[in-house]
Amino acid sequence: MIRVDIKPMTTNRAFKGQRYKTDEYKAFERSLLFLLPKITLPEAPYDLIYEFGYSNPANDIDNAIKQTTDVLQKKYAFNDKEIYRMVVEKVIVPKGKEYIKFEIKTLTKKAQ
């Protein structure tokens, strides 16, 4: 799995009103694009595995999925419609130790 040491962006902080990106989301997007390593994607369809390290136990497990997936598809030039399976795990970590881990694999025929 790939680990990126950045606090996951929640939907509430990502948009203002009518789905305009907040300055905080724009900064998150720039930072994550910079931190993501260069990888070669496997063949679609995809199986996307996430682990989000949250410092706040009140964060919903799915709060960071949309923003993170949007940045991944921007960085790695794929369409999220090619994701057919997603596994998400929430881990509570000390404040300042937040992170995002992900793995993009080819979905096996058995899982399709």
Side-chain angles (χ1 to χ4, degrees):
M1 286 189 100
I2 295 170
R3 177 183 172 129
V4 179
D5 293 317
I6 188 171
K7 183 178 181 176
M9 170 63 60
T10 66
T11 301
N12 294 340
R13 294 192 175 273
F15 301 98
K16 0 176 174 176
Q18 306 241 347
R19 294 294 239 185
Y20 297 105
K21 291 180 183 177
T22 64
D23 290 340
E24 190 175 355
Y25 179 31
K26 291 175 187 175
F28 168 79
E29 184 178 49
R30 280 191 306 274
S31 296
L32 186 53
L33 284 168
F34 176 76
L35 292 168
L36 287 168
K38 290 181 182 179
I39 62 172
T40 302
L41 285 181
E43 190 175 317
Y46 299 120
D47 183 2
L48 180 54
I49 301 162
Y50 278 127
E51 180 181 305
F52 294 108
Y54 291 114
S55 60
N56 183 351
N59 279 346
D60 294 341
I61 192 170
D62 63 343
N63 261 354
I65 293 172
K66 174 74 174 138
Q67 296 74 240
T68 305
T69 303
D70 286 350
V71 175
L72 290 181
Q73 72 176 345
K74 186 173 188 176
K75 174 75 174 192
Y76 300 124
F78 71 95
N79 191 318
D80 61 359
K81 73 178 183 183
E82 298 172 321
I83 301 169
Y84 279 68
R85 180 174 176 267
M86 191 178 292
V87 177
V88 183
E89 183 176 356
K90 171 178 160 178
V91 177
I92 305 305
V93 298
K95 191 163 183 69
K97 301 292 184 183
E98 297 88 356
Y99 65 86
I100 298 169
K101 278 188 185 179
F102 72 94
E103 184 175 6
I104 303 172
K105 304 189 304 187
T106 298
L107 184 68
T108 61
K109 297 251 186 234
K110 194 175 193 179
Q112 288 180 358

